[in-house]
């Protein structure tokens, strides 16, 4: 359960970073090049944490089914 | 002929056997699940093209906003007042409910039509993905007038992507579906981030104080691109309404709403229409204006979000083509006796791959979406008439099932007749479905009223048509 919460939080934060990055560029806080890097990196983390969350969820469902 | 058709319908019944019984009350889903489903399903690869086309067709900002507001509202109301009530009362899929009314023979035709339409749609999605990969290999994408492949590079690219998508769908449809669940929130964010990042290129200030001025003059200026037809509010309104016509008016989302606790769950479709279509189409409009009104989804996303953007277009095409290929395969299974699942998916995939080489399905996507809805719409009218109006007019329901008919001849006449009339209606393609729907509804009821008045006896149970 804790792991699920942690992964959900981390994936949520990654997605928020994706969304925040164009605002930083728009407000002149980062350059266009850096915005694209931030977006790429945050996207990578989103896919990593969200996929892990889905995998664990699936494994838990399978083990619940076995019991 | 009748025997072989019976064999086909038997095979089809076996395929859909798992959802033959009405959904039991313990399997009903929460509203949050419906909200999530709709929000995820309506941010797809095609959104990159649709919103951009509104800009190229010279829609003004006022027409866009009003058209999208009203059109999406009508779509939500169609789900809520037409599709969801029938689904929650019957708890059946359209397949089984239509079988009672139209007979198993007509169901086969409906499924085949659906399969072909799905393959074309998946082909268009491959075309969208190809624009992203084309950037890497420097392949020019087709122009807006192209019907046939314009270059060998485009053919090779779409064939390669089509085969890749097909092989991946064959290897693991379910795994890809889970991957699609992970992708959909990110693709939604990609639309918003991409549009925001390109606003400075159009001259929008950081505090957005001149956003509407820029939107009116540089994005939705009301001037159509060269060679493109001018669209007004009615075009946008009707497009937003019929974009998912097969799902709401056409009732194929009965499969979804049979799990709803009550018919008002249809209102959750607003999450897909406003959270998805509305925002995504506005965002893709901004993106296409920022790259100089070039219909190139891959370039749009690359300019907006770099490598992640181009990857996003490719992934969006992939994850939306995957379930479409699966559905096409399922529908095609009726004419492929004893074929394993992988073989049917492979066949559907290869057909889709060949279709994807033809840019007409991608560059004329708006027209194709209109035709897709139009072809399947009369079936929705037939089901609506039989479900709601037959009891009112005291006409016996489900005559095809009761008389064990392979075909309901009147349903077939209404379907073909409606499409024939619609093809000659002196209206823009976008507006033809509505009079066609009313015509199908009235014609189907009238044909049964006349038959009832004639007092005709039920035909022999084994008679075809």
């Amino acid at each position: 359960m804790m792991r699920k919460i942690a992964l959900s939080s981390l994936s949520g934060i990654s997605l928020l970073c994706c969304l925040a990055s164009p605002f930083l560029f728009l407000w002149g806080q980062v350059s266009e090049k850096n915005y694209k890097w931030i977006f790429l990196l945050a996207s990578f983390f989103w896919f990593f944490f969200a996929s892990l969350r889905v995998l664990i969820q699936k494994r838990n469902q399978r083990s619940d089914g076995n019991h | 002929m009748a025997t072989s058709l019976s064999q086909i319908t038997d095979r089809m019944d076996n395929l859909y056997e798992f959802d033959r019984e009405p959904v039991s009350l313990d399997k009903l889903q929460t509203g949050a699940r419906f909200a999530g489903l709709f929000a995820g399903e309506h941010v797809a690869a095609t959104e990159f093209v649709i919103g951009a086309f509104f800009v190229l067709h010279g829609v003004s900002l006022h027409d866009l906003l009003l058209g999208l507001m009203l059109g999406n509202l009508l779509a939500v109301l169609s789900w809520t007042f037409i599709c969801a009530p029938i689904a929650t009362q019957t708890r059946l899929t359209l397949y089984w409910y239509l079988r009672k009314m139209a007979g198993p023979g007509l169901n086969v035709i409906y499924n085949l039509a659906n399969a072909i339409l799905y393959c074309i749609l998946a082909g268009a999605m491959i075309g969208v993905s190809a624009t992203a990969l084309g950037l890497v290999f420097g392949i020019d994408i087709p122009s807006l007038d192209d019907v046939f492949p314009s270059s060998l590079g485009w053919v090779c690219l779409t064939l390669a992507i089509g085969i890749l998508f097909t092989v991946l769908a064959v290897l693991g449809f379910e795994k890809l579906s889970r991957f699609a669940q992970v992708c959909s929130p990110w693709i939604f964010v990609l639309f918003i981030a991409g549009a925001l990042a390109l606003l400075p290129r159009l001259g929008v200030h950081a505090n957005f104080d001149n956003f509407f001025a820029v939107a009116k003059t540089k994005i939705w200026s009301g001037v159509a691109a060269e060679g493109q037809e001018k669209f007004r509010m009615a075009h946008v309104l009707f497009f937003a309404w019929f974009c998912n016509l097969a799902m709401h008016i056409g009732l194929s989302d009965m499969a979804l709403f049979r799990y709803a606790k009550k018919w008002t769950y249809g209102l959750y479709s607003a999450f897909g229409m406003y959270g998805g279509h509305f925002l995504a189409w506005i965002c893709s409009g901004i993106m296409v204006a920022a790259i100089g009104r070039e219909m190139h989804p891959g370039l749009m996303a690359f300019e907006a979000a770099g490598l992640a953007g181009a990857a996003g277009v490719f992934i969006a095409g992939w994850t939306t083509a995957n379930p479409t290929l699966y559905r096409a395969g399922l529908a095609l299974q009726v004419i492929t006796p004893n074929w394993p699942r992988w073989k049917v998916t492979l066949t559907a995939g290869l057909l889709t791959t060949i279709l994807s080489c033809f840019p007409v399905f991608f560059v004329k996507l708006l027209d194709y979406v209109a035709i897709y809805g139009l072809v399947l719409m009369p079936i929705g009218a037939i089901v609506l008439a039989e479900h709601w109006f037959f009891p009112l007019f005291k006409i016996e329901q489900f005559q095809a099932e009761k008389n064990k008919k392979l075909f309901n001849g009147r349903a077939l006449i209404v379907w073909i007749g409606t499409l024939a009339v619609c093809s000659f209606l002196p209206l823009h393609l976008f507006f033809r479905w509505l009079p066609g729907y009313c015509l199908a509804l009235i014609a189907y009821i009238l044909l049964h009223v006349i038959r009832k008045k004639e007092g005709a006896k039920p035909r022999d149970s084994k008679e075809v048509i």
Side-chain angles (χ1 to χ4, degrees), chain B residues 66-77:
Chain B
L66 204 60
L68 287 186
M69 283 279 203
L70 295 175
N72 284 321
L73 176 68
L74 288 168
V76 171
L77 295 179

Side-chain angles (χ1 to χ4, degrees), chain A residues 25-26 32 36, chain B residues 195-204 214 218 286-287 289-292 299-300 302-305:
Chain A
F25 166 59
L26 202 62
E32 188 175 341
K36 286 177 180 171
Chain B
L196 281 170
L198 287 177
L199 284 177
R201 242 186 243 195
L202 291 161
V204 174
V214 171
K218 292 186 179 172
I286 293 171
M287 285 191 251
I291 64 158
L299 183 66
M300 273 161 54
F302 180 74
E303 289 289 321

Side-chain angles (χ1 to χ4, degrees), chain A residues 53-63, chain B residues 178:
Chain A
R53 192 191 62 199
V54 171
L55 278 177
I56 288 171
Q57 208 172 331
K58 181 77 188 164
R59 207 172 52 187
N60 287 348
Q61 277 171 359
R62 210 177 291 156
S63 62
Chain B
R178 280 203 292 278

Side-chain angles (χ1 to χ4, degrees), chain B residues 184-223:
Chain B
S184 57
W186 177 76
I187 292 169
F188 178 68
V189 167
L190 174 64
F191 271 101
I192 296 176
L196 281 170
L198 287 177
L199 284 177
R201 242 186 243 195
L202 291 161
V204 174
H205 300 152
N207 59 3
F208 297 98
D209 62 347
N210 64 340
F211 174 77
F212 284 103
V214 171
K216 274 181 194 169
T217 51
K218 292 186 179 172
I219 307 170
W220 299 282
S221 60
V223 181

Side-chain angles (χ1 to χ4, degrees), chain B residues 1-16 95 99 104-109 111-112 330-338 406-407:
Chain B
M1 171 68 188
T3 315
S4 62
L5 196 61
S6 290
Q7 287 168 346
I8 290 173
T9 58
D10 287 345
R11 278 204 302 273
M12 200 156 83
D13 288 350
N14 287 334
L15 272 176
Y16 290 89
Y95 175 85
R99 196 185 189 284
L106 199 75
N107 241 2
V108 169
I109 299 174
N111 263 262
L112 284 178
L330 195 66
L332 273 181
Q333 219 159 347
V334 298
I335 51 161
T336 50
N338 307 321
L406 205 53
F407 272 107

Side-chain angles (χ1 to χ4, degrees), chain B residues 130-309:
Chain B
T131 63
L133 216 58
L135 281 176
V136 180
F137 298 107
I139 294 169
D140 289 335
I141 72 153
S143 73
L144 293 174
D145 302 319
D146 284 341
V147 174
F148 297 102
S150 52
S151 70
L152 186 65
W154 176 260
V155 175
C156 293
L157 189 64
T158 48
L159 283 178
I161 295 173
I163 290 167
L164 177 73
F165 285 5
T166 305
V167 170
L168 290 169
V170 169
L171 290 178
F173 164 76
E174 282 181 25
K175 278 179 191 153
L176 271 180
S177 299
R178 280 203 292 278
F179 179 63
Q181 282 172 14
V182 172
C183 290
S184 57
W186 177 76
I187 292 169
F188 178 68
V189 167
L190 174 64
F191 271 101
I192 296 176
L196 281 170
L198 287 177
L199 284 177
R201 242 186 243 195
L202 291 161
V204 174
H205 300 152
N207 59 3
F208 297 98
D209 62 347
N210 64 340
F211 174 77
F212 284 103
V214 171
K216 274 181 194 169
T217 51
K218 292 186 179 172
I219 307 170
W220 299 282
S221 60
V223 181
E226 201 184 321
Q228 295 296 305
E229 184 190 357
K230 162 89 179 144
F231 279 4
R232 298 187 187 281
M233 197 267 281
H235 294 90
V236 180
L237 186 154
F238 266 78
F239 187 87
W241 189 8
F242 73 62
C243 186
N244 294 104
L245 196 70
M247 277 89 201
H248 47 69
I249 300 271
L251 298 173
S252 71
D253 265 353
M254 277 178 71
L256 198 67
F257 281 109
R258 68 199 171 118
Y259 291 99
K261 286 179 183 164
K262 44 193 175 178
W263 64 270
T264 48
Y265 276 28
L267 291 170
Y268 283 108
S269 58
F271 283 89
M273 294 301 99
Y274 290 99
H277 284 180
F278 188 88
L279 275 176
W281 293 348
I282 287 176
C283 292
S284 61
I286 293 171
M287 285 191 251
V288 80
I291 64 158
R293 290 181 153 209
E294 188 186 348
M295 178 48 77
H296 194 319
L299 183 66
M300 273 161 54
F302 180 74
E303 289 289 321
L307 274 177

